[in-house]
Amino acid sequence: MTWVLLLLLLSPAIINLSTSQSDARWAAKKRRLRDKHDELKPLSKSFTDSLSELGNLKLERLPQDYSGSALTLIESLSSLVIMGNNTEFQSAVVWLSENLTFNVDARVNLFECNIRVLGGLVSAHLLATDSTDRLGKGVYKNQLLTLAQDLGKRFLPAFNTPTGLPYAWVNLKYGVMENETTETSTSGCGSLILEMGALSRLTGDPKYESAALRALRKLWSMRSSLNLLGTTLDVSTGEWIEHSSGIGAGVDSFYEYLFKAHILFGKEEFWRMFHSAYIAVQKYFRHGPWYHEADMRTGKATYWQLTSLQAFWPGLQVLVGDIAAANSSHREFVYVWKKYGVLPERYLLDHQMLHPTEKYYPLRPELAESTFYLYQATKDPWYIEVGESIVNSLNLYTKVDGGFASIRDVTTMQLEDHQHSFFLAETCKYLFLLFDDSFLVEKNYIFTTEGHPLPVLSSWHDRLPETYIQTNRTLLKTGNQARRTSSMSKQVCPPTTFNSWECSGQEVESACHVPDARGDHRCLTDDECGVDSSNCRRRSCSMAGYCGLWLFI
């Protein structure tokens, strides 16, 4: 299999250090790290990832040397480009163009098929048609976009509900089946806007984005008075089934897509949703560097646990500008990783122990993703060391002859015969980009929740977003000229980070700042106090009746 050269991500034959890296010491560190993994070889055995989550999605005619799945190939397309392997990218595009069909009697999960398959096809199409001429002349005639549009049309019956919230499952050939379950998750119906919105922008047909946007707006209208959402709901009645929620499974990508949709499409509506939701998360879920779960109706804590999916949150906070908060949480995830050698699926914070039945590690990418974002934001070499630790653990505990296996129990490191496609689409990709970011130089991408890059294009913006946020700005004077700026435009939080930048000495309001309820800072309860603008910490009400950082004195 030529395209599974993805697993050579750290081979010296394909690593080129970014020219943006100015520190010679850490450039040498990167070279030593990549050379250390020269023993990695392409997989010669079949992938263990089945298509049970997506149904009978298949290639009609398999090439003789191909023993993997269509899903794995689609998931790997953008990784081949990031590696600079244009020859294999072209081969994969040609095979998919000739052999892939969605006209199959297959019940698929809408969310998973959207982020993995539709996202993979749309991203690969954009990479195939950009200005780099990756494919030979005459090879590509929008075949991937044609496939993506065909798939998008097969999604639309799922949105035919009284609420506009889509069913979690749809049959690619026959639409929604009789007696289909009406239960879905917040992520399942609130994380479709990037892929379906991109499809509409590329095809000129607004129906895909309209369906996803209608669902997102309906979901947002179901939030509580605290601006919190639950985890599961009924698409027919619009009623919540599970009121406990957090930033992990079932909700995670909802927050991610609100902010990334604002970046990709320039709609202030997405920013307003995200800002309200983000402040609610910081107020009701955050406890120091950790995030527990809480009841959406009352804000009261329900489950004190860390889940591996929560590790995406520091990466999102980097995009928002909350660097200090991102770093704080990220270090706690790294602590748990080092404690067990990998990141367990669930860790009980109140007991400081593993969950008794969820001790597994399925090669998830979220910690590698946040490590990549934090290194990009800070250039702190400590994050390179974290990446090295992750790579060492993967090679030590999960590498087998046929690829990389999931871990069934992190206390025994017992393996199970399964390799999810997100391992290639995300885990390997973010580790590669951590050590070699040349793909990103002078380019502007967002990554979907499945790690597929989408370019930020001004032509996709209904209205170009301003370089500042109206609800979160101050004035920064440079010489005799005043210009609007904020932590959102400068991508930093807290504002004291500016002290070493060109605006040294000037403080800028933080993206996480929530003003106290009263201008004189008087209060009766903690609820009347906001979030401090200088360090993103929650303020509390003192016995004397004034808001301040009393818990940190």
Side-chain angles (χ1 to χ4, degrees), residues 282-534:
Q282 296 299 95
K283 181 176 182 180
Y284 296 106
F285 296 161
R286 186 179 179 184
H287 182 78
W290 300 107
Y291 290 83
H292 57 73
E293 297 180 24
D295 191 302
M296 61 172 286
R297 300 163 296 187
T298 64
K300 300 299 183 183
T302 52
Y303 302 107
W304 291 79
Q305 57 188 1
L306 170 150
T307 64
S308 60
L309 288 172
Q310 293 175 350
F312 90 99
W313 189 254
L316 179 60
Q317 289 185 306
V318 169
L319 293 180
V320 175
D322 269 354
I323 303 297
N327 174 67
S328 176
S329 294
H330 177 267
R331 287 178 181 267
E332 298 299 330
F333 282 106
V334 172
Y335 166 77
V336 176
W337 176 286
K338 290 184 176 180
K339 181 176 181 179
Y340 294 102
V342 293
L343 194 62
E345 187 71 0
R346 198 174 298 270
Y347 181 80
L348 303 179
L349 296 174
D350 46 353
H351 298 292
Q352 292 292 295
M353 60 176 286
L354 289 172
H355 188 282
T357 62
E358 297 188 44
K359 303 177 182 180
Y360 54 90
Y361 169 65
L363 306 174
R364 291 203 187 277
E366 285 76 16
L367 183 59
E369 175 186 3
S370 288
T371 303
F372 157 72
Y373 278 114
L374 277 161
Y375 179 70
Q376 286 293 314
T378 66
K379 298 302 180 184
D380 186 336
W382 182 78
Y383 297 108
I384 296 294
E385 295 180 355
V386 172
E388 179 179 15
S389 175
I390 294 174
V391 170
N392 288 342
S393 292
L394 289 173
N395 281 324
L396 178 62
Y397 299 119
T398 73
K399 186 180 177 184
V400 295
D401 290 342
F404 290 81
S406 299
I407 295 175
R408 186 185 302 275
D409 187 333
V410 301
T411 62
T412 63
M413 292 301 174
Q414 178 188 2
L415 300 179
E416 60 180 346
D417 192 24
H418 199 69
Q419 178 184 299
H420 290 277
S421 62
F422 57 65
F423 178 70
L424 295 179
E426 299 181 81
T427 309
C428 292
K429 180 181 294 171
Y430 286 121
L431 289 171
F432 181 88
L433 288 171
L434 177 63
F435 301 116
D436 179 3
D437 62 0
S438 56
F439 171 76
L440 302 172
V441 173
E442 297 182 355
K443 297 182 179 70
N444 193 8
Y445 291 96
I446 63 162
F447 289 88
T448 70
T449 196
E450 194 69 9
H452 299 304
L454 298 175
V456 179
L457 306 171
S458 60
S459 59
W460 283 14
H461 286 207
D462 293 345
R463 179 178 62 83
L464 286 176
E466 301 172 30
T467 59
Y468 63 96
I469 302 302
Q470 292 282 358
T471 58
N472 179 42
R473 72 169 189 263
T474 186
L475 288 179
L476 177 71
K477 292 185 178 180
T478 304
N480 296 324
Q481 183 181 12
R483 57 188 176 90
R484 288 186 174 96
T485 189
S486 77
S487 61
M488 294 298 294
S489 62
K490 287 297 183 181
Q491 300 293 286
V492 296
C493 173
T496 50
T497 309
F498 277 128
N499 289 343
S500 59
W501 289 28
E502 76 277 4
C503 46
S504 178
Q506 301 293 326
E507 291 215 350
V508 179
E509 187 178 12
S510 162
C512 59
H513 180 217
V514 180
D516 297 332
R518 296 177 54 174
D520 60 2
H521 309 293
R522 295 298 300 269
C523 58
L524 295 175
T525 68
D526 289 346
D527 290 339
E528 297 177 272
C529 301
V531 176
D532 196 86
S533 65
S534 63

